[in-house]
């Protein structure tokens, strides 16, 4: 029977297998919430440090709890927080999603902080990651660049126009689409419309360019219907809804039963 990879490396294995990975999205800072969602059929957990309430200490406490359920954790870091991205990989994160990457220079700076030499210049110190993987220093160093994943968020016209060049950056594993911010950019600030025709056209373009580059593409889906559509389109990683939305939906369903 083949040996199953440790939780921090499981995301890379699942993406290589070619099936869509479905992730829960957590914006609330309580680690037990992510642990509870990891007990369900989600294949990964994504923590949101950009717009959510999650801080570094919350993420560091959450990652081992999710790993105990055999699941990998991704973290969306704040804009430009590349040093935090490096610390999160040390804490055992399986992948980093970096928002507002608008240029090749941004992508290179991200890779520099998240990949070890000779690809990047990530500093050595993965104490928790070593514990979660069970690897020794040489073993982790040999595998980390390939097995811990880094995604650049494509959310602006500039990023969309430069997507081929961004995807070509060595060490960048793929891109992650933020439909809401992309809709704002494509409408020149007219509003937020993540399901607009313009966004869907941009998504098809991003998907095609990522496939041509031989890399991976993820996306955020604000509800189940969009998540299903993205899965059918062939996105590699689909993060859906949020822990707050799950809580609200559960409460509404219970109240509807009580009132029926």
């Amino acid at each position: 029977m083949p040996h199953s990879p440790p939780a921090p490396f499981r995301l890379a294995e699942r993406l290589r297998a070619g099936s869509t990975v479905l992730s829960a999205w957590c914006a609330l800072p309580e680690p037990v919430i992510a642990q509870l969602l990891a007990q369900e059929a989600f294949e990964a957990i994504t923590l949101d440090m950009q717009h959510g309430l999650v801080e570094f200490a919350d993420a560091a406490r959450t990652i081992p709890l999710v790993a105990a359920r055999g699941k990998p954790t991704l973290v969306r870091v704040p804009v430009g927080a590349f040093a935090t991205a490096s610390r999160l990989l040390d804490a055992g994160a399986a992948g980093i999603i970096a928002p507002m990457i608008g240029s090749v220079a941004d992508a290179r700076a991200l890779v520099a902080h998240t990949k070890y030499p000779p690809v990047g210049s990530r500093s050595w110190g993965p104490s928790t990651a070593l514990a979660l993987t069970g690897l020794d220093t040489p073993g982790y160093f040999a595998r980390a660049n390939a097995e811990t994943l880094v995604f650049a968020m494509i959310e602006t016209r500039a990023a969309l126009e430069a997507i081929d060049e961004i995807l070509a950056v060595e060490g960048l594993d793929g891109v992650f689409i933020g439909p809401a911010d992309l809709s704002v950019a494509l409408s020149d600030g007219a509003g937020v419309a993540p399901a607009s025709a313009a966004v869907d056209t941009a998504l098809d373009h991003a998907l095609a360019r990522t496939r041509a580059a031989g890399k991976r593409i993820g996306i955020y889906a604000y509800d189940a219907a969009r998540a299903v559509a993205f899965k059918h389109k062939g996105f590699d990683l689909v993060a859906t809804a949020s822990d707050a939305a799950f809580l609200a939906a559960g409460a509404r369903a219970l109240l509807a039963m009580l009132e029926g």
Side-chain angles (χ1 to χ4, degrees), residues 155 157 160 177-205 219-220 222-223 226 229-230 233 235:
E155 306 177 272
R157 284 185 184 273
L160 199 61
I177 309 299
D181 277 316
L182 187 58
S183 75
V184 173
L186 294 178
S187 69
D188 295 322
V192 182
S196 69
V199 169
D200 283 344
T201 298
L203 297 184
D204 289 340
H205 173 70
I219 192 165
Y220 178 77
Y222 56 83
D223 63 18
R226 288 292 276 178
F230 294 149
K233 276 181 176 288
F235 281 86

PDB file of all heavy atoms in Angstrom, residues 155 157 160 177-205 219-220 222-223 226 229-230 233 235:
ATOM      1  N   GLU A 155      -6.238  39.814  -9.853  1.00  0.00           N
ATOM      2  CA  GLU A 155      -7.421  40.577  -9.449  1.00  0.00           C
ATOM      3  C   GLU A 155      -7.532  41.933 -10.139  1.00  0.00           C
ATOM      4  O   GLU A 155      -8.455  42.691  -9.839  1.00  0.00           O
ATOM      5  CB  GLU A 155      -7.399  40.817  -7.939  1.00  0.00           C
ATOM      6  CG  GLU A 155      -7.240  39.555  -7.109  1.00  0.00           C
ATOM      7  CD  GLU A 155      -7.149  39.861  -5.632  1.00  0.00           C
ATOM      8  OE1 GLU A 155      -6.034  40.095  -5.134  1.00  0.00           O
ATOM      9  OE2 GLU A 155      -8.211  39.860  -4.985  1.00  0.00           O
ATOM     10  N   ARG A 157      -6.684  44.492 -13.916  1.00  0.00           N
ATOM     11  CA  ARG A 157      -6.426  44.489 -15.354  1.00  0.00           C
ATOM     12  C   ARG A 157      -4.947  44.240 -15.640  1.00  0.00           C
ATOM     13  O   ARG A 157      -4.581  43.495 -16.558  1.00  0.00           O
ATOM     14  CB  ARG A 157      -6.841  45.829 -15.965  1.00  0.00           C
ATOM     15  CG  ARG A 157      -8.331  46.022 -16.149  1.00  0.00           C
ATOM     16  CD  ARG A 157      -8.595  47.324 -16.881  1.00  0.00           C
ATOM     17  NE  ARG A 157     -10.016  47.599 -17.010  1.00  0.00           N
ATOM     18  CZ  ARG A 157     -10.788  47.154 -17.997  1.00  0.00           C
ATOM     19  NH1 ARG A 157     -10.251  46.386 -18.935  1.00  0.00           N
ATOM     20  NH2 ARG A 157     -12.071  47.463 -18.053  1.00  0.00           N
ATOM     21  N   LEU A 160      -4.093  40.621 -15.229  1.00  0.00           N
ATOM     22  CA  LEU A 160      -4.676  39.812 -16.298  1.00  0.00           C
ATOM     23  C   LEU A 160      -3.880  39.992 -17.594  1.00  0.00           C
ATOM     24  O   LEU A 160      -3.635  39.017 -18.319  1.00  0.00           O
ATOM     25  CB  LEU A 160      -6.130  40.220 -16.498  1.00  0.00           C
ATOM     26  CG  LEU A 160      -7.042  39.235 -17.233  1.00  0.00           C
ATOM     27  CD1 LEU A 160      -7.133  37.914 -16.494  1.00  0.00           C
ATOM     28  CD2 LEU A 160      -8.429  39.837 -17.408  1.00  0.00           C
ATOM     29  N   ILE A 177      -7.718  33.189  -8.696  1.00  0.00           N
ATOM     30  CA  ILE A 177      -8.538  34.296  -9.164  1.00  0.00           C
ATOM     31  C   ILE A 177      -9.455  34.808  -8.058  1.00  0.00           C
ATOM     32  O   ILE A 177     -10.145  34.025  -7.397  1.00  0.00           O
ATOM     33  CB  ILE A 177      -9.408  33.881 -10.372  1.00  0.00           C
ATOM     34  CG1 ILE A 177      -8.549  33.215 -11.445  1.00  0.00           C
ATOM     35  CG2 ILE A 177     -10.147  35.096 -10.933  1.00  0.00           C
ATOM     36  CD1 ILE A 177      -7.470  34.091 -12.025  1.00  0.00           C
ATOM     37  N   GLY A 178      -9.455  36.119  -7.883  1.00  0.00           N
ATOM     38  CA  GLY A 178     -10.392  36.771  -6.980  1.00  0.00           C
ATOM     39  C   GLY A 178     -11.478  37.445  -7.807  1.00  0.00           C
ATOM     40  O   GLY A 178     -11.292  38.582  -8.274  1.00  0.00           O
ATOM     41  N   PRO A 179     -12.618  36.791  -8.053  1.00  0.00           N
ATOM     42  CA  PRO A 179     -13.632  37.338  -8.966  1.00  0.00           C
ATOM     43  C   PRO A 179     -14.212  38.686  -8.540  1.00  0.00           C
ATOM     44  O   PRO A 179     -14.557  39.504  -9.401  1.00  0.00           O
ATOM     45  CB  PRO A 179     -14.719  36.253  -8.987  1.00  0.00           C
ATOM     46  CG  PRO A 179     -14.024  35.003  -8.571  1.00  0.00           C
ATOM     47  CD  PRO A 179     -12.986  35.453  -7.582  1.00  0.00           C
ATOM     48  N   ALA A 180     -14.346  38.921  -7.246  1.00  0.00           N
ATOM     49  CA  ALA A 180     -14.949  40.177  -6.803  1.00  0.00           C
ATOM     50  C   ALA A 180     -14.073  41.368  -7.160  1.00  0.00           C
ATOM     51  O   ALA A 180     -14.528  42.328  -7.803  1.00  0.00           O
ATOM     52  CB  ALA A 180     -15.214  40.129  -5.298  1.00  0.00           C
ATOM     53  N   ASP A 181     -12.810  41.350  -6.744  1.00  0.00           N
ATOM     54  CA  ASP A 181     -11.917  42.460  -7.070  1.00  0.00           C
ATOM     55  C   ASP A 181     -11.690  42.555  -8.571  1.00  0.00           C
ATOM     56  O   ASP A 181     -11.562  43.667  -9.114  1.00  0.00           O
ATOM     57  CB  ASP A 181     -10.585  42.306  -6.341  1.00  0.00           C
ATOM     58  CG  ASP A 181     -10.658  42.821  -4.916  1.00  0.00           C
ATOM     59  OD1 ASP A 181     -11.232  43.902  -4.696  1.00  0.00           O
ATOM     60  OD2 ASP A 181     -10.150  42.144  -4.011  1.00  0.00           O
ATOM     61  N   LEU A 182     -11.650  41.402  -9.252  1.00  0.00           N
ATOM     62  CA  LEU A 182     -11.479  41.436 -10.697  1.00  0.00           C
ATOM     63  C   LEU A 182     -12.668  42.136 -11.364  1.00  0.00           C
ATOM     64  O   LEU A 182     -12.500  42.905 -12.312  1.00  0.00           O
ATOM     65  CB  LEU A 182     -11.321  40.018 -11.238  1.00  0.00           C
ATOM     66  CG  LEU A 182     -10.968  39.894 -12.724  1.00  0.00           C
ATOM     67  CD1 LEU A 182      -9.671  40.632 -13.046  1.00  0.00           C
ATOM     68  CD2 LEU A 182     -10.859  38.428 -13.120  1.00  0.00           C
ATOM     69  N   SER A 183     -13.869  41.907 -10.821  1.00  0.00           N
ATOM     70  CA  SER A 183     -15.051  42.566 -11.390  1.00  0.00           C
ATOM     71  C   SER A 183     -14.999  44.071 -11.191  1.00  0.00           C
ATOM     72  O   SER A 183     -15.417  44.845 -12.067  1.00  0.00           O
ATOM     73  CB  SER A 183     -16.331  41.993 -10.770  1.00  0.00           C
ATOM     74  OG  SER A 183     -16.549  42.450  -9.444  1.00  0.00           O
ATOM     75  N   VAL A 184     -14.486  44.505 -10.046  1.00  0.00           N
ATOM     76  CA  VAL A 184     -14.336  45.942  -9.804  1.00  0.00           C
ATOM     77  C   VAL A 184     -13.362  46.551 -10.816  1.00  0.00           C
ATOM     78  O   VAL A 184     -13.608  47.609 -11.398  1.00  0.00           O
ATOM     79  CB  VAL A 184     -13.853  46.194  -8.365  1.00  0.00           C
ATOM     80  CG1 VAL A 184     -13.540  47.676  -8.154  1.00  0.00           C
ATOM     81  CG2 VAL A 184     -14.904  45.736  -7.357  1.00  0.00           C
ATOM     82  N   ALA A 185     -12.245  45.845 -11.033  1.00  0.00           N
ATOM     83  CA  ALA A 185     -11.239  46.346 -11.973  1.00  0.00           C
ATOM     84  C   ALA A 185     -11.762  46.380 -13.399  1.00  0.00           C
ATOM     85  O   ALA A 185     -11.573  47.373 -14.116  1.00  0.00           O
ATOM     86  CB  ALA A 185      -9.990  45.475 -11.889  1.00  0.00           C
ATOM     87  N   LEU A 186     -12.432  45.314 -13.812  1.00  0.00           N
ATOM     88  CA  LEU A 186     -12.898  45.239 -15.200  1.00  0.00           C
ATOM     89  C   LEU A 186     -14.041  46.207 -15.488  1.00  0.00           C
ATOM     90  O   LEU A 186     -14.257  46.584 -16.641  1.00  0.00           O
ATOM     91  CB  LEU A 186     -13.329  43.805 -15.522  1.00  0.00           C
ATOM     92  CG  LEU A 186     -12.213  42.754 -15.521  1.00  0.00           C
ATOM     93  CD1 LEU A 186     -12.774  41.370 -15.805  1.00  0.00           C
ATOM     94  CD2 LEU A 186     -11.126  43.103 -16.532  1.00  0.00           C
ATOM     95  N   SER A 187     -14.762  46.611 -14.444  1.00  0.00           N
ATOM     96  CA  SER A 187     -15.854  47.569 -14.636  1.00  0.00           C
ATOM     97  C   SER A 187     -15.399  49.007 -14.393  1.00  0.00           C
ATOM     98  O   SER A 187     -16.223  49.922 -14.354  1.00  0.00           O
ATOM     99  CB  SER A 187     -17.013  47.244 -13.691  1.00  0.00           C
ATOM    100  OG  SER A 187     -16.656  47.494 -12.343  1.00  0.00           O
ATOM    101  N   ASP A 188     -14.073  49.182 -14.183  1.00  0.00           N
ATOM    102  CA  ASP A 188     -13.526  50.508 -13.881  1.00  0.00           C
ATOM    103  C   ASP A 188     -14.197  51.128 -12.664  1.00  0.00           C
ATOM    104  O   ASP A 188     -14.479  52.332 -12.620  1.00  0.00           O
ATOM    105  CB  ASP A 188     -13.642  51.441 -15.089  1.00  0.00           C
ATOM    106  CG  ASP A 188     -12.794  50.973 -16.266  1.00  0.00           C
ATOM    107  OD1 ASP A 188     -11.671  50.484 -16.028  1.00  0.00           O
ATOM    108  OD2 ASP A 188     -13.264  51.074 -17.408  1.00  0.00           O
ATOM    109  N   GLY A 189     -14.468  50.282 -11.671  1.00  0.00           N
ATOM    110  CA  GLY A 189     -15.030  50.762 -10.419  1.00  0.00           C
ATOM    111  C   GLY A 189     -16.518  50.977 -10.410  1.00  0.00           C
ATOM    112  O   GLY A 189     -17.052  51.589  -9.481  1.00  0.00           O
ATOM    113  N   ALA A 190     -17.220  50.437 -11.402  1.00  0.00           N
ATOM    114  CA  ALA A 190     -18.672  50.643 -11.466  1.00  0.00           C
ATOM    115  C   ALA A 190     -19.421  49.839 -10.420  1.00  0.00           C
ATOM    116  O   ALA A 190     -20.535  50.182 -10.048  1.00  0.00           O
ATOM    117  CB  ALA A 190     -19.194  50.294 -12.853  1.00  0.00           C
ATOM    118  N   GLY A 191     -18.815  48.748  -9.931  1.00  0.00           N
ATOM    119  CA  GLY A 191     -19.494  47.948  -8.925  1.00  0.00           C
ATOM    120  C   GLY A 191     -18.839  46.588  -8.755  1.00  0.00           C
ATOM    121  O   GLY A 191     -17.840  46.278  -9.405  1.00  0.00           O
ATOM    122  N   VAL A 192     -19.425  45.797  -7.845  1.00  0.00           N
ATOM    123  CA  VAL A 192     -18.935  44.450  -7.564  1.00  0.00           C
ATOM    124  C   VAL A 192     -19.905  43.457  -8.195  1.00  0.00           C
ATOM    125  O   VAL A 192     -21.055  43.354  -7.774  1.00  0.00           O
ATOM    126  CB  VAL A 192     -18.821  44.197  -6.045  1.00  0.00           C
ATOM    127  CG1 VAL A 192     -18.260  42.803  -5.775  1.00  0.00           C
ATOM    128  CG2 VAL A 192     -17.962  45.260  -5.382  1.00  0.00           C
ATOM    129  N   ALA A 193     -19.441  42.728  -9.202  1.00  0.00           N
ATOM    130  CA  ALA A 193     -20.296  41.779  -9.918  1.00  0.00           C
ATOM    131  C   ALA A 193     -19.470  40.562 -10.322  1.00  0.00           C
ATOM    132  O   ALA A 193     -19.107  40.395 -11.485  1.00  0.00           O
ATOM    133  CB  ALA A 193     -20.924  42.430 -11.139  1.00  0.00           C
ATOM    134  N   PRO A 194     -19.143  39.689  -9.347  1.00  0.00           N
ATOM    135  CA  PRO A 194     -18.232  38.568  -9.620  1.00  0.00           C
ATOM    136  C   PRO A 194     -18.767  37.533 -10.595  1.00  0.00           C
ATOM    137  O   PRO A 194     -17.998  36.692 -11.069  1.00  0.00           O
ATOM    138  CB  PRO A 194     -18.002  37.958  -8.233  1.00  0.00           C
ATOM    139  CG  PRO A 194     -19.175  38.378  -7.420  1.00  0.00           C
ATOM    140  CD  PRO A 194     -19.547  39.741  -7.928  1.00  0.00           C
ATOM    141  N   ALA A 195     -20.072  37.583 -10.912  1.00  0.00           N
ATOM    142  CA  ALA A 195     -20.637  36.630 -11.874  1.00  0.00           C
ATOM    143  C   ALA A 195     -20.944  37.297 -13.209  1.00  0.00           C
ATOM    144  O   ALA A 195     -21.691  36.753 -14.027  1.00  0.00           O
ATOM    145  CB  ALA A 195     -21.899  35.992 -11.306  1.00  0.00           C
ATOM    146  N   SER A 196     -20.358  38.453 -13.478  1.00  0.00           N
ATOM    147  CA  SER A 196     -20.654  39.176 -14.713  1.00  0.00           C
ATOM    148  C   SER A 196     -20.050  38.462 -15.918  1.00  0.00           C
ATOM    149  O   SER A 196     -19.130  37.647 -15.802  1.00  0.00           O
ATOM    150  CB  SER A 196     -20.097  40.594 -14.639  1.00  0.00           C
ATOM    151  OG  SER A 196     -18.681  40.578 -14.670  1.00  0.00           O
ATOM    152  N   ALA A 197     -20.557  38.803 -17.098  1.00  0.00           N
ATOM    153  CA  ALA A 197     -20.045  38.220 -18.340  1.00  0.00           C
ATOM    154  C   ALA A 197     -18.578  38.578 -18.544  1.00  0.00           C
ATOM    155  O   ALA A 197     -17.786  37.753 -19.020  1.00  0.00           O
ATOM    156  CB  ALA A 197     -20.886  38.696 -19.517  1.00  0.00           C
ATOM    157  N   ALA A 198     -18.198  39.791 -18.171  1.00  0.00           N
ATOM    158  CA  ALA A 198     -16.809  40.213 -18.330  1.00  0.00           C
ATOM    159  C   ALA A 198     -15.879  39.371 -17.468  1.00  0.00           C
ATOM    160  O   ALA A 198     -14.779  38.981 -17.898  1.00  0.00           O
ATOM    161  CB  ALA A 198     -16.665  41.688 -17.971  1.00  0.00           C
ATOM    162  N   VAL A 199     -16.309  39.081 -16.239  1.00  0.00           N
ATOM    163  CA  VAL A 199     -15.504  38.244 -15.349  1.00  0.00           C
ATOM    164  C   VAL A 199     -15.412  36.822 -15.898  1.00  0.00           C
ATOM    165  O   VAL A 199     -14.332  36.220 -15.922  1.00  0.00           O
ATOM    166  CB  VAL A 199     -16.084  38.239 -13.924  1.00  0.00           C
ATOM    167  CG1 VAL A 199     -15.409  37.168 -13.062  1.00  0.00           C
ATOM    168  CG2 VAL A 199     -15.902  39.608 -13.282  1.00  0.00           C
ATOM    169  N   ASP A 200     -16.532  36.280 -16.367  1.00  0.00           N
ATOM    170  CA  ASP A 200     -16.505  34.917 -16.903  1.00  0.00           C
ATOM    171  C   ASP A 200     -15.568  34.808 -18.104  1.00  0.00           C
ATOM    172  O   ASP A 200     -14.852  33.805 -18.256  1.00  0.00           O
ATOM    173  CB  ASP A 200     -17.917  34.465 -17.282  1.00  0.00           C
ATOM    174  CG  ASP A 200     -18.743  34.065 -16.072  1.00  0.00           C
ATOM    175  OD1 ASP A 200     -18.150  33.844 -14.995  1.00  0.00           O
ATOM    176  OD2 ASP A 200     -19.987  33.972 -16.199  1.00  0.00           O
ATOM    177  N   THR A 201     -15.550  35.823 -18.954  1.00  0.00           N
ATOM    178  CA  THR A 201     -14.624  35.830 -20.084  1.00  0.00           C
ATOM    179  C   THR A 201     -13.182  35.863 -19.599  1.00  0.00           C
ATOM    180  O   THR A 201     -12.311  35.143 -20.123  1.00  0.00           O
ATOM    181  CB  THR A 201     -14.896  37.042 -20.991  1.00  0.00           C
ATOM    182  OG1 THR A 201     -16.212  36.945 -21.524  1.00  0.00           O
ATOM    183  CG2 THR A 201     -13.884  37.113 -22.134  1.00  0.00           C
ATOM    184  N   ALA A 202     -12.926  36.675 -18.575  1.00  0.00           N
ATOM    185  CA  ALA A 202     -11.581  36.758 -18.008  1.00  0.00           C
ATOM    186  C   ALA A 202     -11.169  35.433 -17.365  1.00  0.00           C
ATOM    187  O   ALA A 202     -10.004  35.017 -17.463  1.00  0.00           O
ATOM    188  CB  ALA A 202     -11.519  37.885 -16.978  1.00  0.00           C
ATOM    189  N   LEU A 203     -12.116  34.758 -16.725  1.00  0.00           N
ATOM    190  CA  LEU A 203     -11.813  33.466 -16.102  1.00  0.00           C
ATOM    191  C   LEU A 203     -11.418  32.432 -17.146  1.00  0.00           C
ATOM    192  O   LEU A 203     -10.462  31.663 -16.954  1.00  0.00           O
ATOM    193  CB  LEU A 203     -13.023  32.960 -15.311  1.00  0.00           C
ATOM    194  CG  LEU A 203     -13.491  33.803 -14.125  1.00  0.00           C
ATOM    195  CD1 LEU A 203     -14.632  33.100 -13.394  1.00  0.00           C
ATOM    196  CD2 LEU A 203     -12.350  34.090 -13.181  1.00  0.00           C
ATOM    197  N   ASP A 204     -12.143  32.411 -18.249  1.00  0.00           N
ATOM    198  CA  ASP A 204     -11.815  31.472 -19.324  1.00  0.00           C
ATOM    199  C   ASP A 204     -10.413  31.751 -19.872  1.00  0.00           C
ATOM    200  O   ASP A 204      -9.647  30.822 -20.157  1.00  0.00           O
ATOM    201  CB  ASP A 204     -12.848  31.559 -20.446  1.00  0.00           C
ATOM    202  CG  ASP A 204     -14.206  30.990 -20.050  1.00  0.00           C
ATOM    203  OD1 ASP A 204     -14.265  30.203 -19.081  1.00  0.00           O
ATOM    204  OD2 ASP A 204     -15.205  31.341 -20.706  1.00  0.00           O
ATOM    205  N   HIS A 205     -10.090  33.024 -20.001  1.00  0.00           N
ATOM    206  CA  HIS A 205      -8.759  33.404 -20.492  1.00  0.00           C
ATOM    207  C   HIS A 205      -7.680  32.958 -19.499  1.00  0.00           C
ATOM    208  O   HIS A 205      -6.654  32.359 -19.901  1.00  0.00           O
ATOM    209  CB  HIS A 205      -8.700  34.915 -20.694  1.00  0.00           C
ATOM    210  CG  HIS A 205      -7.339  35.433 -21.032  1.00  0.00           C
ATOM    211  ND1 HIS A 205      -6.721  35.186 -22.236  1.00  0.00           N
ATOM    212  CD2 HIS A 205      -6.456  36.183 -20.298  1.00  0.00           C
ATOM    213  CE1 HIS A 205      -5.520  35.761 -22.245  1.00  0.00           C
ATOM    214  NE2 HIS A 205      -5.341  36.369 -21.088  1.00  0.00           N
ATOM    215  N   ILE A 219      -9.603  29.368  -7.472  1.00  0.00           N
ATOM    216  CA  ILE A 219     -10.586  30.451  -7.526  1.00  0.00           C
ATOM    217  C   ILE A 219     -11.457  30.407  -6.278  1.00  0.00           C
ATOM    218  O   ILE A 219     -11.639  29.343  -5.665  1.00  0.00           O
ATOM    219  CB  ILE A 219     -11.454  30.339  -8.804  1.00  0.00           C
ATOM    220  CG1 ILE A 219     -12.277  31.613  -9.024  1.00  0.00           C
ATOM    221  CG2 ILE A 219     -12.344  29.097  -8.764  1.00  0.00           C
ATOM    222  CD1 ILE A 219     -12.850  31.721 -10.422  1.00  0.00           C
ATOM    223  N   TYR A 220     -11.989  31.572  -5.923  1.00  0.00           N
ATOM    224  CA  TYR A 220     -12.945  31.659  -4.822  1.00  0.00           C
ATOM    225  C   TYR A 220     -14.363  31.661  -5.381  1.00  0.00           C
ATOM    226  O   TYR A 220     -14.664  32.400  -6.325  1.00  0.00           O
ATOM    227  CB  TYR A 220     -12.717  32.924  -3.997  1.00  0.00           C
ATOM    228  CG  TYR A 220     -13.718  33.078  -2.874  1.00  0.00           C
ATOM    229  CD1 TYR A 220     -13.596  32.335  -1.717  1.00  0.00           C
ATOM    230  CD2 TYR A 220     -14.803  33.938  -3.006  1.00  0.00           C
ATOM    231  CE1 TYR A 220     -14.533  32.451  -0.700  1.00  0.00           C
ATOM    232  CE2 TYR A 220     -15.744  34.063  -2.000  1.00  0.00           C
ATOM    233  CZ  TYR A 220     -15.603  33.312  -0.847  1.00  0.00           C
ATOM    234  OH  TYR A 220     -16.539  33.416   0.150  1.00  0.00           O
ATOM    235  N   TYR A 222     -18.331  32.199  -4.187  1.00  0.00           N
ATOM    236  CA  TYR A 222     -19.089  32.709  -3.047  1.00  0.00           C
ATOM    237  C   TYR A 222     -20.281  31.836  -2.680  1.00  0.00           C
ATOM    238  O   TYR A 222     -20.881  32.003  -1.619  1.00  0.00           O
ATOM    239  CB  TYR A 222     -19.553  34.149  -3.300  1.00  0.00           C
ATOM    240  CG  TYR A 222     -20.375  34.336  -4.560  1.00  0.00           C
ATOM    241  CD1 TYR A 222     -21.735  34.068  -4.576  1.00  0.00           C
ATOM    242  CD2 TYR A 222     -19.783  34.787  -5.733  1.00  0.00           C
ATOM    243  CE1 TYR A 222     -22.489  34.227  -5.729  1.00  0.00           C
ATOM    244  CE2 TYR A 222     -20.524  34.965  -6.883  1.00  0.00           C
ATOM    245  CZ  TYR A 222     -21.875  34.676  -6.882  1.00  0.00           C
ATOM    246  OH  TYR A 222     -22.607  34.842  -8.029  1.00  0.00           O
ATOM    247  N   ASP A 223     -20.663  30.885  -3.563  1.00  0.00           N
ATOM    248  CA  ASP A 223     -21.735  29.961  -3.185  1.00  0.00           C
ATOM    249  C   ASP A 223     -21.535  28.629  -3.907  1.00  0.00           C
ATOM    250  O   ASP A 223     -20.637  28.476  -4.752  1.00  0.00           O
ATOM    251  CB  ASP A 223     -23.119  30.547  -3.478  1.00  0.00           C
ATOM    252  CG  ASP A 223     -23.384  30.807  -4.961  1.00  0.00           C
ATOM    253  OD1 ASP A 223     -22.674  30.243  -5.824  1.00  0.00           O
ATOM    254  OD2 ASP A 223     -24.314  31.581  -5.256  1.00  0.00           O
ATOM    255  N   ARG A 226     -21.737  28.475  -7.907  1.00  0.00           N
ATOM    256  CA  ARG A 226     -20.532  28.923  -8.588  1.00  0.00           C
ATOM    257  C   ARG A 226     -19.400  27.907  -8.410  1.00  0.00           C
ATOM    258  O   ARG A 226     -18.611  27.665  -9.334  1.00  0.00           O
ATOM    259  CB  ARG A 226     -20.095  30.291  -8.077  1.00  0.00           C
ATOM    260  CG  ARG A 226     -20.972  31.433  -8.510  1.00  0.00           C
ATOM    261  CD  ARG A 226     -20.886  31.707  -9.996  1.00  0.00           C
ATOM    262  NE  ARG A 226     -19.769  32.558 -10.359  1.00  0.00           N
ATOM    263  CZ  ARG A 226     -19.472  32.893 -11.612  1.00  0.00           C
ATOM    264  NH1 ARG A 226     -20.195  32.426 -12.616  1.00  0.00           N
ATOM    265  NH2 ARG A 226     -18.443  33.675 -11.880  1.00  0.00           N
ATOM    266  N   ALA A 229     -19.901  25.219 -10.917  1.00  0.00           N
ATOM    267  CA  ALA A 229     -19.559  25.707 -12.250  1.00  0.00           C
ATOM    268  C   ALA A 229     -18.043  25.751 -12.448  1.00  0.00           C
ATOM    269  O   ALA A 229     -17.535  25.352 -13.509  1.00  0.00           O
ATOM    270  CB  ALA A 229     -20.158  27.095 -12.469  1.00  0.00           C
ATOM    271  N   PHE A 230     -17.322  26.209 -11.430  1.00  0.00           N
ATOM    272  CA  PHE A 230     -15.866  26.280 -11.541  1.00  0.00           C
ATOM    273  C   PHE A 230     -15.245  24.882 -11.602  1.00  0.00           C
ATOM    274  O   PHE A 230     -14.267  24.656 -12.316  1.00  0.00           O
ATOM    275  CB  PHE A 230     -15.282  27.070 -10.366  1.00  0.00           C
ATOM    276  CG  PHE A 230     -15.672  28.521 -10.350  1.00  0.00           C
ATOM    277  CD1 PHE A 230     -15.813  29.205  -9.145  1.00  0.00           C
ATOM    278  CD2 PHE A 230     -15.904  29.218 -11.523  1.00  0.00           C
ATOM    279  CE1 PHE A 230     -16.165  30.544  -9.118  1.00  0.00           C
ATOM    280  CE2 PHE A 230     -16.258  30.565 -11.514  1.00  0.00           C
ATOM    281  CZ  PHE A 230     -16.392  31.226 -10.302  1.00  0.00           C
ATOM    282  N   LYS A 233     -15.665  23.686 -15.054  1.00  0.00           N
ATOM    283  CA  LYS A 233     -14.765  24.373 -15.980  1.00  0.00           C
ATOM    284  C   LYS A 233     -13.357  23.791 -15.938  1.00  0.00           C
ATOM    285  O   LYS A 233     -12.594  23.931 -16.899  1.00  0.00           O
ATOM    286  CB  LYS A 233     -14.690  25.867 -15.633  1.00  0.00           C
ATOM    287  CG  LYS A 233     -15.810  26.723 -16.213  1.00  0.00           C
ATOM    288  CD  LYS A 233     -15.613  28.174 -15.833  1.00  0.00           C
ATOM    289  CE  LYS A 233     -16.658  29.082 -16.481  1.00  0.00           C
ATOM    290  NZ  LYS A 233     -16.432  29.239 -17.919  1.00  0.00           N
ATOM    291  N   PHE A 235     -11.205  24.166 -12.946  1.00  0.00           N
ATOM    292  CA  PHE A 235     -10.293  24.794 -12.000  1.00  0.00           C
ATOM    293  C   PHE A 235      -9.714  23.731 -11.063  1.00  0.00           C
ATOM    294  O   PHE A 235     -10.406  22.798 -10.650  1.00  0.00           O
ATOM    295  CB  PHE A 235     -11.014  25.875 -11.201  1.00  0.00           C
ATOM    296  CG  PHE A 235     -11.176  27.162 -11.960  1.00  0.00           C
ATOM    297  CD1 PHE A 235     -12.264  27.359 -12.805  1.00  0.00           C
ATOM    298  CD2 PHE A 235     -10.240  28.174 -11.850  1.00  0.00           C
ATOM    299  CE1 PHE A 235     -12.411  28.533 -13.527  1.00  0.00           C
ATOM    300  CE2 PHE A 235     -10.378  29.362 -12.557  1.00  0.00           C
ATOM    301  CZ  PHE A 235     -11.467  29.536 -13.398  1.00  0.00           C
TER     302      PHE A 235
END
